[in-house]
Amino acid sequence: GAGVSQSPSNKVTEKGKDVELRCDPISGHTALYWYRQSLGQGLEFLIYFQGNSAPDKSGLPSDRFSAERTGGSVSTLTIQRTQQEDSAVYLCASSLRGLAQLSSTDTQYFGPGTRLTVL
Amino acid sequence: EDQVTQSPEALRLQEGESSSLNCSYTVSGLRGLFWYRQDPGKGPEFLFTLYSAGEEKEKERLKATLTKKESFLHITAPKPEDSATYLCAVQVAQAGTALIFGKGTTLSVSS
């Protein structure tokens, strides 16, 4: 079946502009995650959505970053007033059940990412 | 502080030369350990989940093992197509905690 898709695949923007990144999760997956991958760094958790619950925003680096998930499916990550340090690959993942259940793990499946370059 | 460290950062092998990648972790409680493969310009591809010490899983030339402090990804007789970055991630026991990733090991296999 279809995997996680993200758009655009590449985005070049000027410092100070706003950008929106889109993620379409695997159909039926209740949990959705955003990560950031900078050159030479590991994946950095940004935000996590689980069903209709309030999202876990604990990884967002500043208030310029926000995300929403509409209808429990598609998610949009918005970065306002972009800075050069925001340049990175932004990865989206989805999983079937999410992180709430202590009794089991839940595999996250990743999309191809959006490469953001801020000039 | 929960932490995941992968070594080496980079590994060059000849085709057929077996080796191991290491993932050591310091966490408050382990719920699961994940291995992913990432090719350049692509998202991570899931390989294995390990849950408890002593567990092993295999897929083609790859075998993942887990102890109480670390995991190994053994690559037997690698081929050039095994070249990629291998990522290790842990999910800690506290409910609602996202995956913690290591920085990865970049493997290059030459023919």
Side-chain angles (χ1 to χ4, degrees):
Chain A
V4 177
S5 61
Q6 293 186 244
S7 61
S9 55
N10 282 284
K11 176 73 176 178
V12 179
T13 190
E14 294 179 349
K15 177 181 174 181
K17 300 285 189 182
D18 298 353
V19 295
E20 286 189 352
L21 313 179
R22 178 186 168 104
C23 172
D24 282 88
I26 294 171
S27 177
H29 279 194
T30 64
L32 186 147
Y33 315 77
W34 283 98
Y35 293 85
R36 178 168 71 176
Q37 187 173 34
S38 303
L39 192 62
Q41 301 298 312
L43 273 72
E44 173 190 6
F45 166 73
L46 296 176
I47 188 169
Y48 156 56
F49 294 89
Q50 173 64 61
N52 296 319
S53 303
D56 174 3
K57 304 178 182 180
S58 61
L60 295 179
S62 79
D63 58 9
R64 296 186 295 105
F65 287 72
S66 63
E68 63 177 18
R69 188 179 184 192
T70 54
S73 181
V74 172
S75 175
T76 302
L77 176 69
T78 300
I79 309 174
Q80 295 179 310
R81 305 180 302 281
T82 52
Q83 303 294 313
Q84 288 183 332
E85 61 261 30
D86 299 334
S87 296
V89 176
Y90 289 81
L91 290 161
C92 173
S94 70
S95 68
L96 188 60
R97 294 185 300 275
L99 305 173
Q101 298 180 20
L102 281 173
S103 61
S104 65
T105 59
D106 192 37
T107 301
Q108 296 180 24
Y109 296 91
F110 285 80
T114 293
R115 180 174 296 279
L116 174 66
T117 303
V118 182
L119 301 177
Chain B
E1 180 186 350
D2 297 325
Q3 199 167 13
V4 177
T5 303
Q6 291 188 247
S7 62
E9 290 185 12
L11 181 62
R12 291 184 175 273
L13 299 174
Q14 292 289 319
E15 185 172 4
E17 180 187 1
S18 301
S19 188
S20 296
L21 282 55
N22 177 264
C23 171
S24 63
Y25 59 91
T26 306
V27 298
S28 50
L30 181 71
R31 201 194 313 185
L33 185 143
F34 299 79
W35 282 98
Y36 288 86
R37 168 189 171 132
Q38 187 173 26
D39 292 297
K42 297 189 176 181
E45 174 190 348
F46 170 73
L47 292 174
F48 303 109
T49 308
L50 301 167
Y51 298 96
S52 57
E55 187 174 4
E56 298 183 353
K57 288 194 176 174
E58 289 188 64
K59 179 180 180 180
E60 296 181 354
R61 295 176 293 282
L62 300 177
K63 180 172 139 180
T65 62
L66 182 66
T67 72
K68 289 187 177 180
K69 293 295 183 184
E70 58 192 349
S71 176
F72 291 94
L73 185 64
H74 306 276
I75 303 176
T76 302
K79 298 182 177 181
E81 53 262 42
D82 295 322
S83 298
T85 296
Y86 291 86
L87 301 172
C88 170
V90 299
Q91 188 173 1
V92 299
Q94 180 179 350
T97 306
L99 290 180
I100 303 169
F101 279 85
K103 294 184 178 181
T105 294
T106 299
L107 173 66
S108 299
V109 182
S110 55
S111 57

